[in-house]
Amino acid sequence: MNKEIRMAQLAAVAVLAVTGVVQAQASTYNWTQASRWQEEDRYTTSAGATVYPEEWYPSTGYDVRPHAQLYSMFPDLVVGDGNNQATSNNLWTALINSPNVIGNATTLTRARDISEDWDINFVDPKVSNKNYWADFYIDKPTTYVDRAVYPLTLTGGPQAGQSLLGNNKLLAMGDDNSLWLDADGTLSYYNYPTGTLEFDSKKTSLTGGAAGWNGASLAGKVGNLIGYEEGQLYFLEGANTVHVYNYDLGYVRTDQFSFNGDLAGHSLADVIDGKVQGYTYIGWDLGPVVIGVSSVPEASTMALWLIGGGLVAARVRGKRQEHKQA
């Protein structure tokens, strides 16, 4: 989805809320919490912490069920008639933990980043002609694109012939692109739906920044990567230090990250590592995006998830609205 359009929509909602047209949201969730801590509204305290405010807090924010296709993909995870929080949580957990979702396959980074421009992209292995996409802020979407328009194999450049599915070299999703680590220790960015090379960096080391980062090799720091969005790369050092570099490894800034709202008092590292019960980090979209389920399914849920079969993800370009179906 075009970010400018979405931000305008949110601004309009904020105006309506001030005038009393929009009622305050309920204090409890009917489905599953989806939250984003907003990089665009960050501020620095007198103590030096950079606070990323939680979107919508203290109201409940996005109270959403996952994509409708998951109900047929994982019927054993549907509780009763499916119109309940248990089902919503089960299906969100199945989606997030699928090893075949784009961004889930890599073992090279500090965290997975499967949230691309507010979308999570996947396919149903039983459906050969559609790629599904779900914005994390829309309740039970039915959206998809035609797979014929969206090839799953890259062409040209250093990653030619590579599949978008289950690939360890695919580091993160963002900006209507996929981010790849090349054999020569550089980065490349591939567009979708075309699957063609958008930018091939020649840099093997970071430029600028703190001691230990300026001049450090990308190969030595890729294990700190937690996200990619808006042409910027986000690396986590320690509990809360976020180093931001641009797409060609030039230094942008360093934040001493701090949550407010539902995760106030928790470190970014603990949330990313799944140490905060009931919250799972899924990537960076102008700030960390967190879904209100635990990162590891309960034993009974995991068994059903495995029976139901894995998801296979497919990159979906949000801005090509003319190809999207609802």
Side-chain angles (χ1 to χ4, degrees):
M1 180 179 184
N2 186 294
K3 285 191 177 65
E4 290 75 13
I5 294 175
R6 181 174 177 276
M7 290 303 182
Q9 291 172 337
L10 293 179
V13 170
V15 170
L16 291 173
V18 170
T19 62
V21 176
V22 174
Q23 298 295 317
Q25 297 190 19
S27 59
T28 58
Y29 286 91
N30 293 315
W31 314 119
T32 304
Q33 176 187 13
S35 297
R36 183 176 70 92
W37 277 260
Q38 302 170 96
E39 180 181 4
E40 70 274 19
D41 290 332
R42 68 189 184 279
Y43 60 91
T44 302
T45 68
S46 58
T50 302
V51 178
Y52 284 49
E54 183 176 2
E55 194 168 10
W56 295 110
Y57 186 83
S59 59
T60 57
Y62 305 124
D63 184 9
V64 292
R65 290 166 290 183
H67 199 283
Q69 189 65 20
L70 299 175
Y71 288 73
S72 61
M73 291 174 65
F74 299 101
D76 291 325
L77 297 182
V78 176
V79 178
D81 65 0
N83 200 34
N84 50 64
Q85 189 177 71
T87 297
S88 180
N89 288 346
N90 285 348
L91 295 178
W92 268 115
T93 301
L95 177 62
I96 293 169
N97 284 280
S98 169
N100 295 317
V101 171
I102 285 184
N104 270 3
T106 187
T107 60
L108 302 176
T109 60
R110 180 71 170 77
R112 299 172 302 166
D113 183 0
I114 63 173
S115 180
E116 177 274 312
D117 205 15
W118 277 270
D119 294 341
I120 299 174
N121 306 290
F122 66 98
V123 304
D124 183 339
K126 299 184 294 295
V127 180
S128 62
N129 63 340
K130 296 177 182 178
N131 298 343
Y132 299 93
W133 60 277
D135 288 324
F136 64 77
Y137 58 90
I138 297 177
D139 180 45
K140 202 177 181 181
T142 59
T143 45
Y144 67 89
V145 294
D146 293 330
R147 188 173 303 171
V149 183
Y150 293 77
L152 303 180
T153 302
L154 303 180
T155 58
Q159 300 295 340
Q162 291 293 319
S163 173
L164 287 170
L165 307 179
N167 204 310
N168 191 47
K169 292 182 287 186
L170 200 170
L171 301 180
M173 298 299 294
D175 276 348
D176 301 311
N177 290 301
S178 52
L179 169 65
W180 296 77
L181 181 65
D182 299 333
D184 61 358
T186 64
L187 297 174
S188 57
Y189 300 78
Y190 279 79
N191 186 245
Y192 202 77
T194 63
T196 56
L197 181 67
E198 184 155 306
F199 180 75
D200 185 11
S201 176
K202 304 303 181 184
K203 304 288 183 61
T204 59
S205 59
L206 306 175
T207 302
W213 287 80
N214 183 25
S217 70
L218 172 64
K221 294 299 185 182
V222 72
N224 296 81
L225 186 70
I226 62 170
Y228 155 56
E229 186 64 26
E230 291 289 329
Q232 298 192 144
L233 308 172
Y234 299 83
F235 300 86
L236 179 64
E237 181 180 28
N240 288 303
T241 302
V242 177
H243 300 284
V244 186
Y245 284 79
N246 67 23
Y247 65 94
D248 206 23
L249 304 185
Y251 178 71
V252 176
R253 70 175 192 274
T254 297
D255 291 342
Q256 296 302 319
F257 181 92
S258 180
F259 285 110
N260 75 349
D262 290 318
L263 288 174
H266 293 287
S267 72
L268 181 57
D270 280 352
V271 173
I272 283 175
D273 291 341
K275 295 180 179 179
V276 181
Q277 184 70 18
Y279 294 92
T280 297
Y281 175 85
I282 65 167
W284 194 280
D285 274 319
L286 289 178
V289 178
V290 176
I291 304 298
V293 294
S294 294
S295 58
V296 179
E298 298 295 333
S300 59
T301 300
M302 176 62 85
L304 291 173
W305 173 64
L306 292 173
I307 291 171
L311 297 178
V312 182
R315 168 71 173 79
V316 180
R317 185 181 176 98
K319 294 181 181 178
R320 296 298 180 94
Q321 297 293 332
E322 65 271 22
H323 295 302
K324 289 187 175 181
Q325 309 293 324

